[in-house]
Amino acid sequence: MTTDIRGNRVERNDLRYATLVRGFNQRFEGTPQFVEIVEDAEATVRVVQRCLDDGLRPVARSGGHCYEGWSSVTDGVIIDVSMMNRVGVDLATGGYFVESGATNWDMINGLYRRYGVTLPGGSCYSVGAAGHISGGGYGLLSRLHGLTVDWLDAVELVTVRTGRAELIRVGRDSTSAEDRELFWAHTGAGGGNFGVITKFIFKHLPTAPPSAWLATLAWNWSELRNHEDLFVRLIQNFGRFFRDNSEPVSRFAPLFAILHLRRVAGHQIALTVQHADADRGPLDEFLAAMQDGIDPTRVSRARPIAGIAGHHFIQSHEQARQMPWLEITQTENTSGANQRGKYKSAYMTDEFPDDQIAAMWQWLTVSSEAYPGNSSALLQVDSYGGAVNAVAPDATAMAQRSSIMKLQYQTYWAEADDDAHNLAWIRDFYAAMYGPSGPLPDSVMDGCYVNYCDADLDDWAGLYFKENYPRLQQVKARWDPNNIFNHAQSIRLPGQ
């Protein structure tokens, strides 16, 4: 008996092709010449060189979670790095390495079990390291420990500056200023701009907390819908708390809260809180602040429905429960099913203005032929700030370093026939919040998050990168002068 070994190249006649050309967002399906699955850095160099020789566009894919399908190319080659997923000790520095294909769960689980450390990254388990880290990824420990890039010391990647594919390592301590600039560009500009990332290196990482508190609150729309003033108070409570408690050093830094503002069809508004400290006091203060002015005789606090916002809520009459940190992280670690979706984002430096709260109420409660109810449509408001804001805006490519909240607009659906009304809802909601130009930086707003990419944005460069964009363009000109690595919102060459 012989074994049919197909190898690492997946061409259009391969049974795997239809699966491997699609990512998390099922709205997008690529038609590349082929998909190359690479398992080490040397193989990555060879594939990139083959693309150069054959005039094909190389596009790297790690976890496949690009919201706008930039890695689901309609030409060229998908370089799938997902099998490069090791986490370990870097021999050159004595620190830690994470390969670019590692998922969030690979990173969290591997770093914790082997070394007792962690990276303050995201909770969507299948998101890949390449995009997550290079785009300034954040997570439930970021108010305590900052962003992933705040711990990054070096990046290994395949570049084509000389016209040939070359594996290089650049870091914050590189002797060449040009190398240091390329490293800096990988601290928030996102993937797909300068080369194919193969590895991240961290000299030091924070010790993982032994335990944490997990708490939930929820309010039923069936009651809340008759009390707009209490909805207003709830949103105000959240915004004002983090306005007052998001300085770089705060006793509330270990506390990270997520407010899931689902549409009425989703039945509940829910709050999830992780407090990574043994002292429950700050958590109780926050929970009390959230319920301030919410009269239980008018709208009662509900038991959270399991999984309502992509999380497994505590099914208990207790508001909070202390658990081993890794267990909590595993509980929270979910990406949801691969389906069709659309996303938008915004950073906030102050509490919600009244007109924005009014827009939230209108668009969460709207239901008509143009905007049919969708239980999987929501505005997610994440707490932010803390240690994130201890870093200067130009110290990394991640320019938003004074925000207190980070917003993600989301809607999910299964069938292409439902595209139009889902896209209409999220676009019209967003326009009602910020107008046609989006959340331009001012005294309240601070632009958008590159990892929640949005093809609708006109001034995407200004909203993502602010004053850092011209510097990123100079890095592009030096390291990818022929714009080999590109997508619809990749860093442009100067003058473009």
Side-chain angles (χ1 to χ4, degrees), residues 440-461:
L440 295 172
D442 57 19
S443 61
V444 176
M445 308 308 304
D446 203 21
C448 301
Y449 181 35
V450 66
N451 275 356
Y452 298 160
C453 56
D454 179 3
D456 297 339
L457 297 174
D458 290 329
D459 181 21
W460 53 267

Side-chain angles (χ1 to χ4, degrees), residues 276-484:
D277 190 271
D279 179 11
R280 179 172 166 163
L283 172 61
D284 288 337
E285 291 179 46
F286 171 67
L287 295 176
M290 281 301 300
Q291 297 171 92
D292 182 49
I294 309 297
D295 187 346
T297 65
R298 298 178 65 202
V299 57
S300 59
R301 183 168 57 83
R303 177 178 296 217
I305 299 173
I308 189 171
H311 296 271
H312 301 287
F313 290 125
I314 300 168
Q315 295 297 295
S316 169
H317 293 292
E318 294 294 328
Q319 288 183 354
R321 177 181 170 195
Q322 190 175 28
M323 302 164 62
W325 173 77
L326 188 65
E327 183 179 338
I328 284 181
T329 303
Q330 190 170 18
T331 299
E332 293 292 294
N333 221 298
T334 177
S335 299
N338 289 9
Q339 53 191 318
R340 306 176 79 82
K342 176 64 182 176
Y343 315 83
K344 293 178 176 292
S345 69
Y347 288 93
M348 298 194 67
T349 59
D350 203 349
E351 63 178 304
F352 292 101
D354 291 344
D355 61 337
Q356 289 189 5
I357 300 177
M360 290 180 196
W361 175 266
Q362 176 187 351
W363 289 95
L364 294 174
T365 60
V366 67
S367 183
S368 66
E369 184 176 348
Y371 311 106
N374 180 350
S375 62
S376 297
L378 71 154
L379 168 56
Q380 178 174 309
V381 185
D382 288 8
S383 59
Y384 207 63
V388 174
N389 293 347
V391 178
D394 61 352
T396 65
M398 177 59 66
Q400 289 85 0
R401 295 291 188 162
S402 60
S403 299
I404 62 169
M405 291 181 288
K406 194 169 189 172
L407 280 59
Q408 182 177 186
Y409 297 76
Q410 308 168 57
T411 183
Y412 304 92
W413 65 99
E415 303 297 334
D417 289 346
D418 295 324
D419 284 4
H421 66 76
N422 277 284
L423 293 172
W425 175 80
I426 196 169
R427 287 168 174 163
D428 291 349
F429 183 8
Y430 198 70
M433 291 288 284
Y434 313 117
S437 298
L440 295 172
D442 57 19
S443 61
V444 176
M445 308 308 304
D446 203 21
C448 301
Y449 181 35
V450 66
N451 275 356
Y452 298 160
C453 56
D454 179 3
D456 297 339
L457 297 174
D458 290 329
D459 181 21
W460 53 267
L463 290 167
Y464 293 151
F465 307 118
K466 299 174 62 178
E467 290 81 4
N468 285 341
Y469 188 61
R471 184 175 170 186
L472 288 168
Q473 289 184 288
Q474 293 301 319
V475 178
K476 181 73 170 180
R478 177 58 181 153
W479 287 96
D480 187 19
N482 295 314
N483 197 29
I484 300 298

Side-chain angles (χ1 to χ4, degrees), residues 158-212:
V158 179
T159 63
V160 297
R161 177 182 60 173
T162 63
R164 301 288 297 176
E166 179 183 8
L167 183 68
I168 65 171
R169 178 181 287 201
V170 295
R172 65 174 71 251
D173 298 328
S174 293
T175 56
S176 163
E178 291 178 344
D179 288 4
R180 292 195 299 272
E181 283 294 280
L182 181 59
F183 166 77
W184 173 85
H186 284 85
T187 61
N193 288 297
F194 310 102
V196 179
I197 302 167
T198 55
K199 187 182 292 184
F200 298 95
I201 295 91
F202 307 86
K203 289 182 181 178
H204 307 283
L205 285 173
T207 301
S211 64

